[in-house]
Amino acid sequence: MFPRTNWPGARHPGRGPWSSCRCSTAPSPRPAPPHPKGRHGHRRPSRPLGLDPFGRDQHGENARLRAAGPAVPVELPGGVVVWAITHHDTLQRLLADPRVGKNAQLWTTFREGRLPEGWPLLNFVTVPGMVTADGADHRRLRGLVSQAFTPRRIAELAPAIEARSERLLDEVAKLSGDFDLREHFAYPLPMQVIGELLGLERAQQDELHELSDTLVSSSATPQAAIAAQQGLFGLLGAVVAAKRERPGDDLTTDLIAAREEGDRLTEQELVGTLLLMLVAGHETTLNLITNAVRALLAHPDQLRLVLAGEVPWSAVVEETLRHDSPVGQFPLRYAIEDIPVGDVVIPRGDALLASYAAVGRDEAHYPDADRFDVTRQPVKHLSLGHGPHFCLGAGLARLEAETALRGLFGRFPTLALADGPAPEPIASFVSNSVRTLPVRIG
């Protein structure tokens, strides 16, 4: 039933590193509310709401989810039903709740083998590493890479990131007419930064990016999802083999050393960790830069405040993370026991979807939440996570985005959106951005 893979627990969900987990095997019941509205006036759906796998109107869809309540049954591709957590305070609480885990064996649907073959979100569930680990395992895996992302190490990267940004802007200055800022600037900057940290060759980076795009796509066909999984696993396995023969001054070499010297990292965890670093290290920042530029060009009054020095670039980054989170819906977490949320109960063994883009526009937490306002104070969002699984590379993503925006608008203050139809969104509800960002230098 599951696509071929070497990752433990993916082929045989009843076996693998989590097989000793003691969880309920009973099918998860669905709430049957006696009234169409809950105690707080939210209109609850009589059946799960279907999420558009192509992400064609994420913010409109999120508004409907928020109106339905803080925890809403939604249908993912393949008819898989999970709970979308759509209100800020509820998601913040559950992200740090010990009754919520990341181990896929906690999920009844997965454990019973009821996921369709080639399910496009399977990799979020099965990839071995810190993103699917709990407790001591999570602390062990996170500790192996955390030293690369301390505030001191990130500050040391700032000059190199700025120099790389300036070189890319030199190339942008040579372009004429309309051009895609996402392709020529927002993508290469974070990809080159994480590529250098991991010791990836330039030729490998574009191929890995294409495969990772498919990996995070909720609209991928089963064949494409399987091919992307196998391609990424194969390429990163080749990177590990090459680094064993020719060690370098990079994080991949450090992780290999941790595995071989202390036996603290399995081979699958090693490749899974590299995959997480690659995808999170450039996809999120790529969307963040794209969304920030698009918002500023659509709101010239806000851009003028920043260019006049009245608002720091850091405020632009934080407001973009809130207003247009680079991650829309992030799969998955699992209820370890029954969890009451408002007037419903999430049953033990059910899965939860972190609706980051939805909670960023929760009117109960952010007045006038649909408005992009770089003067908003304070901007405390959840777009980079919360609790034990808070994004390890948050500081690096912020540094790259601030550097990119400051350099771009410092060099091209008259940058403008190109004429024509609005850019199409990325075909996914996991990623939240546009496929292209056509602009021109005015």
Side-chain angles (χ1 to χ4, degrees):
M1 172 167 285
F2 289 84
R4 292 180 179 273
T5 176
N6 291 324
W7 293 348
R11 266 193 188 170
H12 306 288
R15 300 198 297 271
W18 306 302
S19 58
S20 62
C21 178
R22 297 181 180 178
C23 312
S24 170
T25 57
S28 301
R30 299 291 161 213
H35 303 290
K37 288 190 177 182
R39 288 190 311 234
H40 304 290
H42 303 296
R43 182 166 294 278
R44 288 184 283 159
S46 58
R47 65 186 65 182
L49 298 175
L51 288 186
D52 179 9
F54 292 92
R56 283 166 287 207
D57 181 22
Q58 286 207 46
H59 289 302
E61 193 169 65
N62 288 335
R64 293 187 288 274
L65 290 175
R66 284 193 303 270
V72 184
V74 295
E75 184 175 325
L76 306 184
V80 176
V81 176
V82 303
W83 294 84
I85 309 303
T86 65
H87 291 189
H88 180 283
D89 291 349
T90 303
L91 181 58
Q92 183 176 40
R93 183 171 67 253
L94 290 176
L95 290 177
D97 195 322
R99 297 173 298 173
V100 177
K102 295 281 282 183
N103 183 324
Q105 283 296 315
L106 297 166
W107 187 18
T108 303
T109 297
F110 174 80
R111 195 175 57 252
E112 295 182 350
R114 292 192 273 120
L115 292 176
E117 183 176 2
W119 192 53
L121 303 176
L122 181 64
N123 296 283
F124 290 97
V125 175
T126 62
V127 59
M130 70 183 81
V131 75
T132 55
D134 293 313
D137 268 349
H138 175 253
R139 291 189 293 272
R140 170 179 61 89
L141 293 164
R142 190 177 176 98
L144 289 172
V145 297
S146 62
Q147 291 305 307
F149 296 97
T150 62
R152 181 181 64 80
R153 292 290 297 273
I154 290 172
E156 291 172 353
L157 293 173
I161 293 173
E162 185 167 1
R164 193 177 298 278
S165 173
E166 291 301 315
R167 288 195 295 272
L168 289 169
L169 291 172
D170 288 341
E171 297 301 313
V172 167
K174 299 174 185 178
L175 301 173
S176 59
D178 296 350
F179 63 93
D180 181 7
L181 188 80
R182 186 177 175 91
E183 175 187 354
H184 291 281
F185 184 61
Y187 156 65
L189 179 61
M191 188 66 197
Q192 290 176 17
V193 170
I194 195 62
E196 184 173 336
L197 282 174
L198 296 179
L200 302 175
E201 296 178 3
R202 187 65 60 86
Q204 297 170 320
Q205 294 177 14
D206 288 342
E207 186 174 4
L208 288 167
H209 169 64
E210 290 180 11
L211 291 169
S212 71
D213 269 355
T214 303
L215 192 76
V216 300
S217 174
S218 54
S219 62
T221 64
Q223 295 79 11
I226 293 171
Q229 181 193 60
Q230 293 175 339
L232 278 166
F233 191 80
L235 275 174
L236 292 174
V239 169
V240 170
K243 290 296 177 182
R244 281 201 173 99
E245 291 185 7
R246 297 181 300 278
D249 183 17
D250 52 64
L251 186 55
T252 302
T253 299
D254 291 344
L255 290 173
I256 292 170
R259 163 166 166 68
E260 295 181 348
E261 292 175 10
D263 197 28
R264 300 179 61 205
L265 201 64
T266 68
E267 190 73 8
Q268 292 81 13
E269 287 172 339
L270 172 58
V271 175
T273 297
L274 292 179
L275 178 59
L276 170 64
M277 302 284 291
L278 170 73
V279 175
H282 88 280
E283 292 279 358
T284 301
T285 311
L286 161 59
N287 289 348
L288 172 57
I289 295 171
T290 301
N291 293 355
V293 173
R294 187 175 179 221
L296 288 171
L297 296 183
H299 300 85
D301 58 322
Q302 303 292 295
L303 178 57
R304 283 193 293 270
L305 291 174
V306 188
L307 293 178
E310 298 180 33
V311 177
W313 288 109
S314 59
V316 176
V317 171
E318 299 309 313
E319 176 65 353
T320 302
L321 285 166
R322 178 205 69 82
H323 179 262
D324 209 7
S325 171
V327 177
Q329 311 275 358
F330 192 77
L332 284 169
R333 287 169 166 80
Y334 317 102
I336 297 174
E337 58 184 72
D338 290 356
I339 302 176
V341 177
D343 53 1
V344 300
V345 174
I346 299 176
R348 178 174 64 174
D350 273 16
L352 285 66
L353 195 64
S355 301
Y356 290 122
V359 304
R361 297 197 183 189
D362 182 357
E363 287 282 351
H365 197 80
Y366 306 104
D368 202 6
D370 285 330
R371 181 167 58 93
F372 180 73
D373 180 7
V374 297
T375 66
R376 188 183 300 270
Q377 294 293 336
V379 184
K380 294 183 178 180
H381 56 76
L382 300 175
S383 293
L384 296 173
H386 178 70
H389 287 269
F390 178 75
C391 177
L392 193 60
L396 179 60
R398 287 179 163 117
L399 173 62
E400 290 179 78
E402 289 179 34
T403 301
L405 295 172
R406 183 174 58 249
L408 176 67
F409 286 103
R411 185 85 70 97
F412 309 114
T414 59
L415 191 74
L417 293 171
D419 296 330
E424 293 185 3
I426 293 173
S428 175
F429 57 63
V430 178
S431 288
N432 177 42
S433 191
V434 289
R435 295 173 185 246
T436 61
L437 185 60
V439 298
R440 55 182 167 79
I441 299 173

